[in-house]
Amino acid sequence: MCGEIQLGHLSARKPLQKTTATVKTKRKLPHFTCDSAPTSSQSRWQLLQHVPLAVISHRPIHPYKVVAMAERTPASTSHSRNKHTNRLAAEHSPYLLQHAHNPVDWFAWGEEAFAEARKRDVPIFLSKSFEDEGVAKLLNDWFVSIKVDREERPDVDKVYMTYVQALYGGGGWPLSVFLSPDLKPLMGGTYFPPEDKYGRPGFKTILRKVKDAWDKKRDMLAQSGAFAIEQLSEALSASASSNKLPDELPQNALRLCAEQLSKSYDSRFGGFGSAPKFPRPVEIQMMLYHSKKLEDTGKSGEASEGQKMVLFTLQCMAKGGIHDHVGGGFHRYSVDERWHVPHFEKMLYDQGQLANVYLDAFSLTKDVFYSYICRDILDYLRRDMIGPGGEIFSAEDADSAETEGATRKKEGAFYVWTSKEVEDILGEHAILFKEHYYLKPTGNCDLSRMSDPHNEFKGKNVLIELNDSSASASKLGMPLEKYLNILGECRRKLFDVRSKRPRPHLDDKVIVSWNGLVISSFARASKILKSEAESAIFNFPVVGSDRKEYTEVAESAASFIRRHLYDEQTHRLQHSFRNGPSKAPGFLDDYAFLISGLLDLYEFGSGTKWLVWAIELQNTQDELFLDREGGGYFNTTGEDPSVLLRVKEDHDGAEPSGNSVSVINLVRLASIVAGSKSDYYRQNAEHSLAVFETRLKDMAMAVPLMCCAADMLSVPSRKHVVLVGHKSSVDFENMLAAAHASYDLNKTVIHIDPADTEEMDFWEEHNSNNASMARNNFSADKVVALVCQNFSCSPPVTDPISLENLLLEKPSSTA
């Protein structure tokens, strides 16, 4: 069928499809188009005999959801585990180790595999998993099979996923690509069924056709692969046509992005777009930022509308099954429109970003509901995801065994409950709890036809809050506080029982970029949560941590990266760690996300050593990734010859793009330092954004964080808060919390202790104005705050309330 199999070649007709990175090309990368129907009983895939250049088996997915739908293949549970051992057994990656006992003779990505393909003169297969002995024999006899952990080597995954997306206009995982021994792509696709069915070729058939094409039409294949890489390389390394964006574009792009997202808003269940629903935090960040801009310019009605969309979305997510009510944190995405039944995997990058957007919502509303959810996420990470050295692990799988010793794993087994289990555990409070979380004897995955179409969760319940707690407490004639306490104690009991179940596999790999996201959220929470009412009561799984402990987590994670994944001589990062640093170097995202986290560490109260390191890392990032002539940052260094493409990524998806985060980092750094270095940062930010001018004009919704970055850069004068005093005092903590109490991303917070020689030396070198301000306003027994903007500063204030009020004043017209 047309929608299932598509065959392509690179010699005529259709232009290159835009991938998730900026594409600019004058030439065309065509492929076979799908006619209305075959003219004979010959199936479409049989064209492979004649034009064997790109096979794509694809389940239609919305193009912007492809990037976020990063499902990792579950661990192997076959009985063949004891019969086979391949080279992956020597790897460190948990994902690769899961496939170490497949019958396929897997290689890891590297020269050993490439040399084997050259020696045997056979194609390379990358990298879907098979445990079928017959498929394994064909792969072992005719191909060199390589398995890649795309979290450990996102650069490799990006090359071949981009190839598939360019040919088809979409992609997904599992990714299956055939390569020449010199790594040029020959054919690609996503899911291939094991056997021929409904006119679709099974994988064995595909393997035979690929081998036949390699034997008989190798030159055509090789030329096609080389041409594809040439075209993609040209398309994905776009250069700016000017040194900065047109003056009106930042505001227009921000408005356009908000308008586009608003049109996709689900007013009934929250979120932007339809099922499956992903918690794409960059969308929420953009909508909140845009609402604040509207509020500041007197458009309070429009601001309120945007803010309502965001807050309702955050509420629906927190009450839905995508949120782990018993253990804290969020699952990857919801399969239905109600945020109810999730794909149960938990990813670190989601936790870090979601904690930050719930913090932002709390900053705007001072509603403890949002600070509670932020704490819920951070306390989950502290409980389950932090290693002995302060490192923060990557993920927990979706699947686990239902009982100890079971060989088969099931999606969500660790998280779902039967009604009887809950009754037995909770006793007298079972009825209250079941009513609150919509638990039923027959199972509760019936709220949407999309929740459980194959009855996988028959008789099982995924906790979801459908009722308002105040109304439920009132209905029972019970004080709200008592009602919430009962729910908390019930969750604790369920947590204790759940802890005895077989756990999902923990991916204890440490990824620098994801740690950077979480360093940011812990650092920010340490001060923003000071605005919580003293009477606030938290119930399990929130433990009500002292906010200082959050600072310690952030500093420990940053220190681990510096000790284990940073070379003090070369000033370079490695990408990840597990039983030692990985072979992969740091990528753009590692530098950009870590720099962002370090800037937050400093601004939210930690020492200037983190600021020094951030500046050092920015210098290295510019040296390794910056296109000084064309503008923007490449995703890789270009030093690894096995990685055939350097991409300037712009898509803000499940994770923000490295370019979006980098521009914001440059804006922040330019406001911290002075003189030529500040100018240098701003010029790089302007030139980088200019690369993505077309994207910002035409598809702003694909780059929401970049829209924010462009607007931040266009602000004529950032607000500066300068705190001067002894940092060991309680007054300093209170003033720093006041400086961060209000939501404003166009604000820089500087804190200086004039008695600290090392600090003063830093400021003398990087911004002597700040050093002078500190000397001139120092008081031995007070912490002094100044708010500066448009080349002038407010009179000094010395109490938190005055500082908060000063920061709440509307910007002046010149700003």
Side-chain angles (χ1 to χ4, degrees):
M1 289 179 63
C2 268
E4 302 294 338
I5 300 293
Q6 191 163 29
L7 310 180
H9 70 98
L10 307 173
S11 60
R13 294 208 269 171
K14 192 166 181 180
L16 174 69
Q17 298 279 351
K18 279 198 175 182
T19 68
T20 56
T22 286
V23 175
K24 290 184 182 178
T25 181
K26 296 177 182 177
R27 301 170 69 184
K28 294 185 176 181
L29 181 63
H31 66 75
F32 254 79
T33 54
C34 204
D35 298 328
S36 58
T39 55
S40 71
S41 60
Q42 181 188 40
S43 298
R44 278 271 165 201
W45 64 264
Q46 288 177 302
L47 289 171
L48 180 60
Q49 297 175 32
H50 307 294
V51 191
L53 302 177
V55 180
I56 297 181
S57 172
H58 178 68
R59 294 169 174 176
I61 300 172
H62 190 282
Y64 292 112
K65 289 177 177 172
V66 168
V67 180
M69 204 175 284
E71 302 174 40
R72 295 177 302 160
T73 307
S76 166
T77 55
S78 166
H79 293 292
S80 67
R81 181 174 293 278
N82 298 322
K83 292 169 58 180
H84 305 280
T85 298
N86 56 50
R87 290 169 181 80
L88 299 185
E91 295 297 312
H92 289 171
S93 159
Y95 173 74
L96 297 183
L97 289 170
Q98 287 175 0
H99 302 283
H101 300 287
N102 288 171
V104 177
D105 187 13
W106 290 112
F107 287 74
W109 183 266
E111 182 53 36
E112 182 188 8
F114 312 151
E116 180 73 8
R118 291 193 298 268
K119 183 177 81 173
R120 289 173 52 195
D121 194 25
V122 296
I124 290 168
F125 172 66
L126 179 89
S127 83
K128 183 183 170 184
S129 294
F130 290 92
E131 297 198 19
D132 180 274
E133 300 276 355
V135 169
K137 184 173 187 330
L138 296 182
L139 283 170
N140 294 340
D141 289 349
W142 295 341
F143 302 89
V144 168
S145 298
I146 297 179
K147 176 67 65 179
V148 170
D149 180 347
R150 61 190 178 79
E151 292 169 3
E152 192 171 70
R153 293 303 304 260
D155 53 338
V156 175
D157 179 77
K158 183 68 183 177
V159 171
Y160 300 109
M161 180 56 74
T162 299
Y163 168 74
V164 170
Q165 288 173 326
L167 283 169
Y168 189 76
W173 289 272
L175 177 65
S176 301
V177 185
F178 296 92
L179 316 177
S180 63
D182 65 352
L183 309 180
K184 303 295 194 304
L186 306 175
M187 309 174 187
T190 52
Y191 175 75
F192 295 107
E195 305 292 340
D196 296 353
K197 194 179 251 187
Y198 307 122
R200 296 173 60 192
F203 193 63
K204 292 178 185 176
T205 301
I206 294 291
L207 293 179
R208 292 189 181 99
K209 294 297 181 184
V210 174
K211 181 185 184 302
D212 185 61
W214 179 254
D215 291 342
K216 296 176 181 177
K217 300 172 183 177
R218 183 175 312 187
D219 289 346
M220 190 189 301
L221 284 171
Q223 289 170 14
S224 172
F227 181 69
I229 289 297
E230 176 192 339
Q231 288 289 283
L232 289 170
S233 181
E234 177 186 329
L236 299 173
S237 57
S239 295
S241 57
S242 65
N243 288 328
K244 60 184 297 187
L245 293 173
D247 290 343
E248 73 284 352
L249 182 54
Q251 290 75 26
N252 290 344
L254 192 68
R255 187 191 70 250
L256 176 62
C257 187
E259 288 173 356
Q260 290 174 336
L261 281 174
S262 297
K263 288 176 183 176
S264 69
Y265 175 63
D266 181 347
S267 59
R268 188 176 178 195
F269 300 117
F272 301 95
S274 55
K277 281 186 173 176
F278 292 83
R280 192 181 170 203
V282 287
E283 295 176 338
I284 294 171
Q285 285 179 275
M286 193 285 309
M287 292 295 285
L288 287 177
Y289 180 86
H290 183 243
S291 294
K292 176 69 163 59
K293 294 284 290 188
L294 291 172
E295 181 72 33
D296 287 345
T297 54
K299 299 175 181 177
S300 56
E302 290 179 62
S304 176
E305 284 303 308
Q307 196 177 117
K308 282 178 184 176
M309 293 181 195
V310 168
L311 297 179
F312 184 62
T313 295
L314 292 175
Q315 291 166 21
C316 290
M317 286 167 50
K319 293 177 179 180
I322 192 174
H323 174 212
D324 180 2
H325 295 271
V326 170
F330 281 78
H331 301 294
R332 180 71 277 271
Y333 63 87
S334 169
V335 302
D336 56 58
E337 72 280 10
R338 301 188 64 142
W339 304 102
H340 182 202
V341 179
H343 172 56
F344 286 89
E345 187 177 35
K346 286 182 174 180
M347 304 300 297
L348 184 62
Y349 58 77
D350 282 327
Q351 315 309 324
Q353 293 179 90
L354 286 169
N356 265 334
V357 295
Y358 277 100
L359 271 177
D360 289 342
F362 173 69
S363 292
L364 281 162
T365 64
K366 297 299 183 280
D367 185 338
V368 74
F369 172 87
Y370 303 106
S371 68
Y372 177 93
I373 301 301
C374 173
R375 284 180 175 272
D376 166 291
I377 297 167
L378 299 182
D379 289 351
Y380 153 66
L381 293 176
R382 292 184 67 207
R383 183 189 302 115
D384 292 342
M385 298 296 284
I386 295 180
E391 69 276 29
I392 308 178
F393 300 138
S394 294
E396 291 189 291
D397 278 358
D399 300 355
S400 58
E402 288 190 288
T403 57
E404 205 65 55
T407 57
R408 184 169 176 263
K409 294 185 176 184
K410 291 188 69 175
E411 166 97 12
F414 184 72
Y415 300 100
V416 298
W417 301 89
T418 65
S419 179
K420 187 174 187 310
E421 281 177 319
V422 172
E423 290 167 5
D424 292 344
I425 295 164
L426 301 185
E428 64 173 317
H429 295 310
I431 293 175
L432 180 152
F433 190 86
K434 287 169 61 179
E435 177 73 18
H436 185 85
Y437 287 107
Y438 184 62
L439 306 188
K440 304 194 301 182
T442 55
N444 73 350
C445 300
D446 56 3
L447 291 173
S448 166
R449 60 182 180 81
M450 303 180 74
S451 297
D452 188 25
H454 305 297
N455 289 321
E456 296 173 72
F457 298 110
K458 186 177 181 180
K460 306 288 188 179
N461 292 275
V462 178
L463 271 58
I464 181 172
E465 295 181 88
L466 298 181
N467 301 317
D468 177 72
S469 296
S470 297
S472 297
S474 177
K475 182 179 174 182
L476 293 170
M478 184 183 295
L480 177 60
E481 185 176 324
K482 181 180 179 182
Y483 182 83
L484 296 176
N485 286 341
I486 290 172
L487 289 178
E489 283 307 307
C490 288
R491 290 192 297 266
R492 186 187 297 274
K493 289 179 181 178
L494 292 180
F495 178 86
D496 291 341
V497 171
R498 195 177 81 171
S499 297
K500 297 180 177 65
R501 293 175 174 177
R503 289 194 69 90
H505 174 76
L506 171 68
D507 186 339
D508 57 357
K509 181 165 68 264
V510 181
I511 295 176
V512 171
S513 56
W514 299 359
N515 271 249
L517 293 171
V518 174
I519 287 168
S520 170
S521 58
F522 273 105
R524 295 180 75 237
S526 71
K527 298 302 178 289
I528 292 174
L529 295 181
K530 179 74 166 60
S531 296
E532 289 172 329
E534 291 185 10
S535 60
I537 297 173
F538 302 107
N539 292 296
F540 193 84
V542 173
V543 298
S545 302
D546 186 322
R547 292 173 295 100
K548 291 179 182 177
E549 294 176 19
Y550 290 154
T551 301
E552 291 167 7
V553 172
E555 290 185 339
S556 294
S559 296
F560 180 91
I561 292 170
R562 181 139 201 173
R563 286 195 311 273
H564 296 285
L565 289 164
Y566 182 67
D567 187 315
E568 297 285 354
Q569 277 69 50
T570 64
H571 298 170
R572 290 191 178 199
L573 292 166
Q574 293 298 112
H575 172 61
S576 62
F577 181 98
R578 187 176 187 271
N579 299 327
S582 67
K583 298 169 189 173
F587 304 111
L588 173 62
D589 288 2
D590 295 311
Y591 286 84
F593 295 8
L594 179 57
I595 290 167
S596 178
L598 295 176
L599 292 176
D600 282 333
L601 251 185
Y602 168 73
E603 286 202 50
F604 284 81
S606 293
T608 51
K609 70 176 184 178
W610 303 115
L611 201 47
V612 171
W613 193 25
I615 291 170
E616 204 171 87
L617 286 169
Q618 187 63 55
N619 292 341
T620 305
Q621 178 182 317
D622 291 351
E623 175 191 327
L624 296 177
F625 305 100
L626 180 63
D627 182 351
R628 295 188 185 275
E629 291 186 9
Y633 291 93
F634 292 106
N635 65 332
T636 65
T637 64
E639 296 171 345
D640 185 345
S642 72
V643 181
L644 304 185
L645 292 177
R646 294 185 83 193
V647 176
K648 292 180 185 176
E649 185 69 63
D650 64 359
H651 183 259
D652 297 315
E655 301 171 59
S657 79
N659 273 290
S660 297
V661 175
S662 292
V663 171
I664 294 173
N665 290 343
L666 291 168
V667 171
R668 296 175 71 182
L669 286 167
S671 73
I672 290 171
V673 304
S676 60
K677 195 66 175 177
S678 178
D679 294 339
Y680 167 81
Y681 288 141
R682 285 193 65 85
Q683 286 160 11
N684 280 348
E686 288 170 346
H687 201 194
S688 294
L689 285 170
V691 176
F692 308 107
E693 179 178 341
T694 301
R695 191 75 142 162
L696 287 163
K697 280 180 180 174
D698 299 338
M699 277 302 297
M701 193 170 75
V703 289
L705 193 63
M706 189 170 286
C707 292
C708 296
D711 188 81
M712 288 179 199
L713 184 59
S714 73
V715 171
S717 178
R718 264 176 94 81
K719 192 178 289 182
H720 282 70
V721 182
V722 182
L723 302 179
V724 181
H726 292 305
K727 294 188 179 180
S728 57
S729 67
V730 174
D731 286 346
F732 174 79
E733 282 293 308
N734 291 338
M735 290 292 277
L736 190 59
H740 290 292
S742 57
Y743 173 82
D744 186 358
L745 298 187
N746 288 308
K747 172 180 69 184
T748 298
V749 177
I750 305 290
H751 45 85
I752 307 175
D753 184 346
D756 187 322
T757 305
E758 189 175 330
E759 252 188 65
M760 289 299 287
D761 287 347
F762 172 86
W763 290 111
E764 288 288 4
E765 179 185 352
H766 291 91
N767 193 330
S768 58
N769 288 337
N770 285 342
S772 298
M773 204 179 303
R775 277 193 298 269
N776 296 336
N777 290 278
F778 178 63
S779 172
D781 59 348
K782 293 178 182 176
V783 176
V784 177
L786 302 101
V787 178
C788 306
Q789 195 171 21
N790 296 320
F791 308 105
S792 65
C793 295
S794 66
V797 295
T798 57
D799 68 282
I801 299 298
S802 296
L803 178 56
E804 283 190 42
N805 290 336
L806 197 57
L807 290 170
L808 287 173
E809 290 179 7
K810 290 282 188 288
S812 63
S813 58
T814 55

